[in-house]
Coordinates of all heavy atoms in Angstrom, one line a residue:
G1 N -8.3 -18.2 18.0 CA -9.8 -18.2 17.9 C -10.4 -17.1 17.1 O -11.6 -16.9 17.2
Y2 N -9.6 -16.5 16.2 CA -10.2 -15.5 15.3 C -10.5 -16.1 14.0 O -9.7 -16.2 13.1 CB -9.1 -14.3 15.2 CG -8.9 -13.5 16.4 CD1 -7.9 -13.9 17.3 CD2 -9.7 -12.4 16.7 CE1 -7.7 -13.2 18.5 CE2 -9.5 -11.7 17.9 CZ -8.5 -12.1 18.8 OH -8.3 -11.4 19.9
H3 N -11.8 -16.5 13.9 CA -12.2 -17.2 12.7 C -12.8 -16.2 11.7 O -13.3 -15.1 12.1 CB -13.3 -18.2 13.0 CG -12.7 -19.3 13.9 ND1 -11.9 -20.3 13.5 CD2 -12.9 -19.5 15.3 CE1 -11.6 -21.1 14.5 NE2 -12.2 -20.6 15.6
P4 N -12.8 -16.5 10.4 CA -13.2 -15.5 9.4 C -14.7 -15.1 9.5 O -15.5 -16.0 9.9 CB -13.0 -16.3 8.0 CG -12.0 -17.3 8.4 CD -12.2 -17.7 9.8
N5 N -15.0 -13.9 9.3 CA -16.4 -13.4 9.2 C -16.4 -12.2 8.2 O -15.4 -11.9 7.6 CB -16.9 -12.9 10.6 CG -16.1 -11.7 11.1 OD1 -15.2 -11.2 10.6 ND2 -16.6 -11.3 12.3
L6 N -17.5 -11.6 8.1 CA -17.7 -10.6 7.0 C -16.8 -9.4 7.3 O -16.4 -8.7 6.3 CB -19.2 -10.1 6.9 CG -20.1 -11.1 6.4 CD1 -21.6 -10.6 6.4 CD2 -19.8 -11.5 4.9
A7 N -16.4 -9.1 8.5 CA -15.5 -8.0 8.8 C -14.2 -8.1 8.1 O -13.5 -7.1 7.9 CB -15.4 -7.8 10.3
W8 N -13.8 -9.4 7.9 CA -12.5 -9.6 7.2 C -12.4 -8.9 5.8 O -11.3 -8.7 5.3 CB -12.2 -11.1 7.1 CG -11.7 -11.7 8.4 CD1 -12.0 -11.3 9.6 CD2 -10.8 -12.8 8.5 NE1 -11.4 -12.1 10.6 CE2 -10.7 -13.0 9.9 CE3 -10.2 -13.7 7.6 CZ2 -9.8 -14.1 10.4 CZ3 -9.4 -14.7 8.1 CH2 -9.2 -14.9 9.5
L9 N -13.6 -8.7 5.2 CA -13.6 -8.0 3.9 C -12.9 -6.7 4.0 O -12.5 -6.2 2.9 CB -15.0 -8.0 3.4 CG -15.7 -9.3 3.0 CD1 -17.1 -9.1 2.6 CD2 -14.9 -10.0 1.9
W10 N -13.0 -6.0 5.1 CA -12.3 -4.7 5.3 C -10.8 -4.8 5.1 O -10.2 -3.8 4.8 CB -12.7 -4.1 6.6 CG -14.0 -3.6 6.7 CD1 -15.1 -4.1 7.3 CD2 -14.5 -2.3 6.1 NE1 -16.2 -3.3 7.2 CE2 -15.9 -2.2 6.5 CE3 -13.9 -1.3 5.4 CZ2 -16.7 -1.1 6.1 CZ3 -14.7 -0.2 5.0 CH2 -16.0 -0.1 5.3
L11 N -10.3 -6.0 5.2 CA -8.8 -6.2 4.9 C -8.5 -5.8 3.5 O -7.4 -5.3 3.2 CB -8.4 -7.6 5.1 CG -6.9 -7.9 4.9 CD1 -6.1 -7.1 5.9 CD2 -6.7 -9.4 5.1
L12 N -9.5 -5.9 2.5 CA -9.3 -5.6 1.1 C -9.0 -4.1 1.0 O -8.2 -3.6 0.2 CB -10.5 -6.0 0.3 CG -10.7 -7.5 0.2 CD1 -12.0 -7.7 -0.6 CD2 -9.6 -8.2 -0.4
V13 N -9.7 -3.3 1.9 CA -9.5 -1.8 1.9 C -8.0 -1.5 2.3 O -7.4 -0.6 1.7 CB -10.5 -1.1 2.8 CG1 -10.2 0.4 2.8 CG2 -11.9 -1.4 2.3
A14 N -7.6 -2.2 3.3 CA -6.2 -2.0 3.8 C -5.2 -2.4 2.7 O -4.2 -1.7 2.5 CB -6.0 -2.8 5.1
I15 N -5.4 -3.5 2.1 CA -4.5 -4.0 1.0 C -4.5 -3.0 -0.2 O -3.4 -2.6 -0.7 CB -4.9 -5.4 0.6 CG1 -4.7 -6.4 1.7 CG2 -4.1 -5.8 -0.7 CD1 -5.2 -7.8 1.4
L16 N -5.7 -2.6 -0.6 CA -5.8 -1.6 -1.7 C -5.0 -0.3 -1.3 O -4.3 0.2 -2.2 CB -7.2 -1.3 -2.0 CG -7.5 -0.2 -3.1 CD1 -6.9 -0.6 -4.4 CD2 -9.0 0.1 -3.2
S17 N -5.2 0.1 -0.1 CA -4.6 1.4 0.3 C -3.1 1.3 0.3 O -2.4 2.1 -0.2 CB -5.1 1.8 1.7 OG -6.5 2.0 1.6
V18 N -2.6 0.2 0.9 CA -1.1 0.1 1.0 C -0.5 -0.2 -0.3 O 0.7 0.3 -0.6 CB -0.8 -1.0 2.1 CG1 -0.9 -2.4 1.5 CG2 0.7 -0.8 2.6
V19 N -1.2 -0.9 -1.2 CA -0.6 -1.1 -2.6 C -0.5 0.2 -3.3 O 0.5 0.5 -4.0 CB -1.4 -2.1 -3.3 CG1 -1.1 -2.2 -4.8 CG2 -1.3 -3.5 -2.7
L20 N -1.6 1.0 -3.3 CA -1.6 2.3 -3.9 C -0.5 3.2 -3.3 O 0.2 3.9 -4.0 CB -3.0 3.0 -3.8 CG -4.1 2.5 -4.6 CD1 -5.4 3.2 -4.2 CD2 -3.8 2.7 -6.1
L21 N -0.4 3.2 -2.0 CA 0.6 4.1 -1.3 C 2.0 3.6 -1.7 O 2.9 4.5 -2.0 CB 0.4 4.0 0.2 CG 1.3 4.9 1.0 CD1 1.1 6.4 0.7 CD2 1.0 4.7 2.5
G22 N 2.3 2.3 -1.6 CA 3.6 1.8 -1.9 C 4.0 2.0 -3.4 O 5.1 2.4 -3.7
T23 N 3.0 1.8 -4.3 CA 3.3 2.0 -5.7 C 3.5 3.5 -6.0 O 4.5 3.8 -6.8 CB 2.1 1.5 -6.5 OG1 1.8 0.2 -6.2 CG2 2.4 1.6 -8.0
G24 N 2.7 4.4 -5.4 CA 2.9 5.8 -5.7 C 4.3 6.3 -5.2 O 5.0 7.0 -5.9
L25 N 4.7 5.9 -4.0 CA 6.0 6.2 -3.4 C 7.1 5.6 -4.2 O 8.2 6.3 -4.5 CB 6.1 5.8 -2.0 CG 5.3 6.6 -1.0 CD1 5.3 6.0 0.4 CD2 5.8 8.1 -0.9
A26 N 6.9 4.4 -4.7 CA 7.9 3.7 -5.5 C 8.2 4.5 -6.8 O 9.4 4.7 -7.2 CB 7.5 2.3 -5.8
M27 N 7.1 4.9 -7.5 CA 7.3 5.7 -8.7 C 7.9 7.0 -8.4 O 8.8 7.5 -9.2 CB 6.0 5.8 -9.4 CG 5.5 4.5 -10.0 SD 4.0 4.6 -11.1 CE 2.8 5.1 -9.9
L28 N 7.4 7.7 -7.4 CA 7.9 9.0 -7.1 C 9.3 9.1 -6.7 O 10.1 9.9 -7.3 CB 7.0 9.6 -5.9 CG 7.2 11.0 -5.5 CD1 6.7 11.9 -6.6 CD2 6.5 11.3 -4.2
L29 N 9.8 8.2 -5.8 CA 11.2 8.2 -5.4 C 12.1 7.6 -6.4 O 13.3 8.1 -6.5 CB 11.3 7.4 -4.1 CG 10.5 8.0 -2.9 CD1 10.6 7.1 -1.7 CD2 11.1 9.4 -2.5
S30 N 11.7 6.6 -7.2 CA 12.6 6.1 -8.2 C 12.9 7.1 -9.3 O 14.0 7.1 -9.8 CB 11.9 4.8 -8.8 OG 10.7 5.1 -9.4
I31 N 11.9 7.8 -9.7 CA 12.2 8.8 -10.8 C 13.0 10.0 -10.2 O 13.8 10.6 -10.9 CB 10.8 9.3 -11.4 CG1 11.1 10.0 -12.7 CG2 10.1 10.2 -10.5 CD1 11.6 9.1 -13.9
L32 N 12.7 10.4 -9.0 CA 13.5 11.5 -8.4 C 14.9 11.1 -8.2 O 15.8 12.0 -8.3 CB 12.8 11.9 -7.1 CG 11.5 12.7 -7.2 CD1 11.0 13.0 -5.8 CD2 11.7 14.0 -8.0
S33 N 15.2 9.8 -7.8 CA 16.6 9.4 -7.5 C 17.4 9.5 -8.8 O 18.7 9.5 -8.6 CB 16.6 8.0 -6.9 OG 16.2 7.0 -7.9
V34 N 16.8 9.4 -10.0 CA 17.6 9.6 -11.2 C 18.3 11.0 -11.3 O 19.4 11.1 -11.8 CB 16.7 9.3 -12.4 CG1 17.5 9.6 -13.7 CG2 16.3 7.8 -12.4
H35 N 17.5 12.0 -10.8 CA 18.0 13.3 -10.9 C 18.7 13.8 -9.6 O 19.5 14.8 -9.6 CB 16.8 14.2 -11.2 CG 16.1 13.9 -12.5 ND1 16.5 14.4 -13.7 CD2 15.0 13.1 -12.7 CE1 15.7 13.9 -14.6 NE2 14.8 13.1 -14.1
F36 N 18.4 13.2 -8.4 CA 18.9 13.7 -7.2 C 19.5 12.5 -6.4 O 18.7 11.6 -5.9 CB 17.8 14.4 -6.3 CG 17.2 15.5 -7.0 CD1 15.9 15.3 -7.6 CD2 17.8 16.7 -7.1 CE1 15.3 16.4 -8.2 CE2 17.1 17.8 -7.8 CZ 15.9 17.6 -8.3
I37 N 20.8 12.4 -6.3 CA 21.4 11.2 -5.7 C 21.1 11.2 -4.2 O 21.3 10.1 -3.5 CB 23.0 11.3 -5.9 CG1 23.6 9.9 -5.7 CG2 23.6 12.4 -5.1 CD1 25.0 9.8 -6.1
E38 N 20.7 12.3 -3.6 CA 20.5 12.4 -2.2 C 19.2 11.6 -1.8 O 18.9 11.5 -0.6 CB 20.4 13.8 -1.7 CG 21.6 14.7 -1.9 CD 21.7 15.2 -3.3 OE1 20.8 15.0 -4.1 OE2 22.7 15.9 -3.6

């Protein structure tokens, strides 16, 4: 019974945040792993 309303637009903030966070960590750890095997 949870039908769409305007509050669902806040989901875009959650998506933007998690994409930025995941991308940042992906770049950070991938470049560091080249130099540090640990």
Side-chain angles (χ1 to χ4, degrees):
Y2 292 90
H3 300 286
N5 67 356
L6 289 178
W8 280 31
L9 293 176
W10 284 103
L11 181 63
L12 298 176
V13 177
I15 293 174
L16 174 63
S17 299
V18 78
V19 169
L20 286 175
L21 183 60
T23 304
L25 288 172
M27 291 190 290
L28 189 67
L29 295 173
S30 61
I31 195 70
L32 287 176
S33 69
V34 174
H35 300 274
F36 305 100
I37 196 172
E38 299 84 1

